[in-house]
Amino acid sequence: MNPEEYQKLAARTECDQWMALDRMATYRPYEDVHPRQLESKLIPVRANHAAIGIAGEAGELAAAIERWIYYGKPLDVINVKEELGDLFWYMAEMCNALQLDMGDIMAANIAKLRKRYPEKYTDELAAEENRDRAAEREVLEAVVDPTYVDEQASRND
């Protein structure tokens, strides 16, 4: 397959970018937005910035580990700390954008892991066929209220 053919075939599966732009540009969390609530219109923009930042910083962290393990360079622990700090910053920004509590997310993650591994990690419990995703989601929903953005989006419809 040549690159031009691949690009054409790949383009067939892309979502409608104009609709995505419209969703981002016309996001209206409230019918009548008070000037003090204008910042809420930035939710998709802030969430997008955070998601892109997380991906970029995760790549920089992975590159530091790659240089260490695969290229025999000394592990730059200072750089690893910096990248982890940058990841925390972007995660905090995502939480702020979606009005989520970072502590709740941390607690939900531990609750999910306790559900998945009641005593400790085992390869058997980690196997996909042994995981109870519905039970894990139930635990997550009990700790974190995921309805905020969905409620805001439904007000926009």
Side-chain angles (χ1 to χ4, degrees):
M1 172 175 289
N2 68 49
E4 184 180 339
E5 181 183 1
Y6 180 85
Q7 282 181 257
K8 286 180 183 176
L9 292 170
R12 293 178 48 231
T13 61
E14 183 179 32
C15 74
D16 185 331
Q17 296 295 309
W18 289 107
M19 290 185 74
L21 175 65
D22 189 54
R23 281 191 294 275
M24 195 170 219
T26 63
Y27 179 75
R28 301 287 184 265
Y30 305 99
E31 293 296 320
D32 297 312
V33 178
H34 188 276
R36 289 185 308 219
Q37 297 170 324
L38 284 176
E39 185 175 319
S40 64
K41 290 184 178 184
L42 295 177
I43 290 171
V45 176
R46 293 177 72 206
N48 188 57
H49 179 210
I52 290 169
I54 288 167
E57 297 301 336
E60 291 182 30
L61 177 61
I65 301 302
E66 177 187 33
R67 286 188 296 272
W68 172 49
I69 292 175
Y70 298 102
Y71 302 121
K73 304 291 183 192
L75 178 61
D76 186 345
V77 176
I78 301 302
N79 178 245
V80 168
K81 286 181 178 181
E82 176 190 2
E83 303 311 337
L84 288 170
D86 292 345
L87 280 163
F88 281 133
W89 187 87
Y90 279 112
M91 288 187 290
E93 286 299 297
M94 181 68 79
C95 290
N96 292 339
L98 302 179
Q99 294 187 0
L100 298 171
D101 182 275
M102 208 167 186
D104 287 348
I105 292 169
M106 294 165 71
N109 180 254
I110 294 300
K112 176 194 78 172
L113 293 172
R114 282 189 179 134
K115 185 70 173 174
R116 187 180 297 167
Y117 310 112
E119 299 298 321
K120 67 177 194 163
Y121 173 89
T122 67
D123 289 343
E124 182 181 346
L125 291 173
E128 188 64 36
E129 64 271 8
N130 295 329
R131 290 173 55 183
D132 185 349
R133 297 232 182 243
E136 289 177 16
R137 182 167 179 98
E138 198 172 292
V139 169
L140 291 169
E141 289 174 347
V143 179
V144 176
D145 179 8
T147 60
Y148 171 76
V149 174
D150 290 339
E151 287 173 3
Q152 299 306 319
S154 67
R155 290 180 188 175
N156 191 28
D157 294 338

